Amino acid sequence: MGVIQNILAVIVVLGLLITFHEFGHFWVARRCGVKVLRFSVGFGTPIWSRVDRHGTEYAIAAIPLGGYVKMLDEREGEVPPEELDRAFNRKNVWQRIAIVAAGPLANFLLALVAYWALFVAGTATVAPVIGEVAPDSPAARGGLVAGHEITAVQGEAVRSWDEINLKLVAAIGEREALAIATREDAAAEIRQHQVPVNDWLVRQDPPQPLPSLGVTPWRPPMPAVLGQVMEGEAAAEAGLVAGDEILAVDGEPVEDWVAFVDVVRASPGETLALEVRRDGDTLTLAVTPRENILEEGVTIGYIGAGVAPVAWPEEYRREIRYGPVAAVGEAFARTGEMITLTFDAVRKMLVGLISPSNLSGPITIAQISGDSARAGLESFVSFLAYLSISLGVLNLLPIPVLDGGHLLYYAMEVVRGRPVSERTQAIGLRIGLALVGSLMLMAIYFDLMRLW
């Protein structure tokens, strides 16, 4: 069922993003007087189509992962003399630039609207309070203290762990220090810290900002109480049920859920004697964790059980919400930040600061789409906005075949006063296809490696 949900989620996500992207090209082309022959959602044989009064065919095709806009163009077929003025190639260079740029800009607009909606609806989060600082870590050397709240990273205010992670990832490659501000409580004075780093997160696969910093977020005490037990797994076979509290393992008292998980992970294939409290009674059950091999090749124990939810204290809860007008500015700021971060990530990947294994292909996108859909509307919309920005940035890269490659040719035309030759564009097309094909193969390869 999870696989089917992932497939449906990725079809919805990519279908929406690519349709919006192509609609950007379509909308501006129409306003520049270009005749659009076909607007297709999906590739392959159309399963539905209709033609409007302008002669444009709207189609839904059999392969849902993509879409395209076909315009009247002398380079792609014969154009009747009476329609030459409606051909894309006959438009001036500034109109062609506007039409090509409209696709990525439509993706950025979609992300802007998504962020605006999230800010107006409000997003629930928790205060970024430090739980533990690892000894001799960058955080420890920078003077960060457990129990203090992080208020700014690199001079920019933060209100959640998600925002902190974004700022820390944006600082990849930093060679001196990270500027981090903290406070003991809401009434306390802000303290400024210089956290020493060297080649921060360079080539880390994947980047792990908080563990690398030496910071563990504060969480409320989490008793070893089961919130869910998966059918067919070791916990269910042992007779454990939701609501059971684990008191001891092999006679050793269990402090909390984390301690219980540590014991299970360290005991693949070993039978453990559990002392369990259920409805006021104490039971003894035997469970044998199954072996689970992680991506790094490490074998851990796994029983198929989850912890019961724990309520956060009121003083740690945060809600980020804005009025409709204020949310516009915040949405522009977040969209701009994510665009900059994505372009910077591409740059750092090219110069070797970020490992290319962080590339994600269709398999990873499907998994994340499904996970975010199951996590709730807020997570799904947030992921949709991020992916829309990624698609827009990818298309703006100056690679022939992509929108950015066409924009590069048109920029050269503006400077030179004449179009780039057809021969040069044909060579660029072959190079672009090779580059994009190589990137796709790399992304799929890294997808498969993550699965194994």
Side-chain angles (χ1 to χ4, degrees), residues 50-352:
R50 75 173 184 86
V51 179
D52 70 4
R53 61 188 178 86
H54 300 287
T56 300
E57 178 189 9
Y58 298 88
I60 297 177
I63 304 172
L65 300 179
Y68 62 92
V69 169
K70 184 178 181 181
M71 304 176 203
L72 192 67
D73 194 316
E74 291 178 280
R75 297 167 300 177
E76 296 183 7
E78 189 174 344
V79 177
E82 66 273 14
E83 290 196 308
L84 285 175
D85 63 325
R86 301 180 67 192
F88 174 81
N89 64 292
R90 290 293 182 108
K91 297 301 176 181
N92 67 56
V93 66
W94 295 109
Q95 289 176 312
R96 282 177 277 137
I97 287 174
I99 293 168
V100 171
L105 291 178
N107 285 124
F108 298 152
L109 177 62
L110 178 60
L112 180 71
V113 172
Y115 284 131
W116 178 86
L118 286 175
F119 286 133
V120 169
T123 56
T125 185
V126 295
V129 175
I130 300 170
E132 294 180 18
V133 175
D136 199 34
S137 63
R141 292 193 292 274
L144 270 62
V145 179
H148 287 200
E149 179 180 349
I150 297 176
T151 60
V153 175
Q154 297 293 76
E156 297 186 48
V158 291
R159 297 158 295 182
S160 68
W161 288 111
D162 284 343
E163 292 183 358
I164 289 171
N165 275 312
L166 280 177
K167 306 299 183 192
L168 292 176
V169 168
I172 288 177
E174 177 63 49
R175 294 184 175 180
E176 295 182 0
L178 299 173
I180 296 180
T182 66
R183 64 184 178 190
E184 187 172 359
D185 54 53
E189 184 179 339
I190 300 292
R191 297 176 58 184
Q192 302 293 337
H193 306 266
Q194 291 296 314
V195 178
V197 294
N198 184 25
D199 288 337
W200 171 246
L201 300 180
V202 169
R203 288 182 291 278
Q204 194 175 102
D205 181 22
Q208 296 181 310
L210 292 179
S212 298
L213 195 65
V215 166
T216 301
W218 184 89
R219 289 183 174 83
M222 198 177 300
V225 177
L226 305 186
Q228 59 177 336
V229 175
M230 301 178 193
E231 291 184 18
E233 297 293 349
E237 292 177 358
L240 290 166
V241 298
D244 285 351
E245 181 180 3
I246 311 301
L247 303 176
V249 178
D250 290 340
E252 293 292 327
V254 171
E255 206 172 293
D256 55 20
W257 176 257
V258 175
F260 176 59
V261 169
D262 288 343
V263 173
V264 170
R265 287 170 63 96
S267 311
E270 300 177 18
T271 300
L272 305 174
L274 307 184
E275 187 178 327
V276 178
R277 179 183 291 138
R278 179 186 299 170
D279 298 329
D281 298 325
T282 301
L283 311 173
T284 300
L285 301 173
V287 63
T288 303
R290 292 176 180 167
E291 293 186 355
N292 186 25
I293 302 176
L294 302 180
E295 292 180 10
E296 307 84 37
V298 179
T299 300
I300 63 168
Y302 172 79
I303 64 171
V307 66
V310 177
W312 283 77
E314 192 63 37
E315 62 269 23
Y316 286 87
R317 298 180 187 178
R318 299 283 189 273
E319 185 178 46
I320 301 174
R321 184 193 298 271
Y322 297 92
V325 176
V328 173
E330 293 295 327
F332 268 104
R334 175 60 63 85
T335 304
E337 179 184 26
M338 296 303 296
I339 292 172
T340 302
L341 181 63
T342 307
F343 270 116
D344 196 44
V346 172
R347 179 188 68 81
K348 289 175 178 177
M349 192 173 292
L350 291 174
V351 300

Side-chain angles (χ1 to χ4, degrees), residues 7-8 10-19 40-45 47 60-67:
I7 292 172
L8 290 175
V10 78
I11 288 174
V12 170
V13 169
L14 290 182
L16 177 61
L17 298 186
I18 294 172
T19 299
S40 177
V41 177
F43 295 108
T45 305
I47 56 178
I60 297 177
I63 304 172
L65 300 179

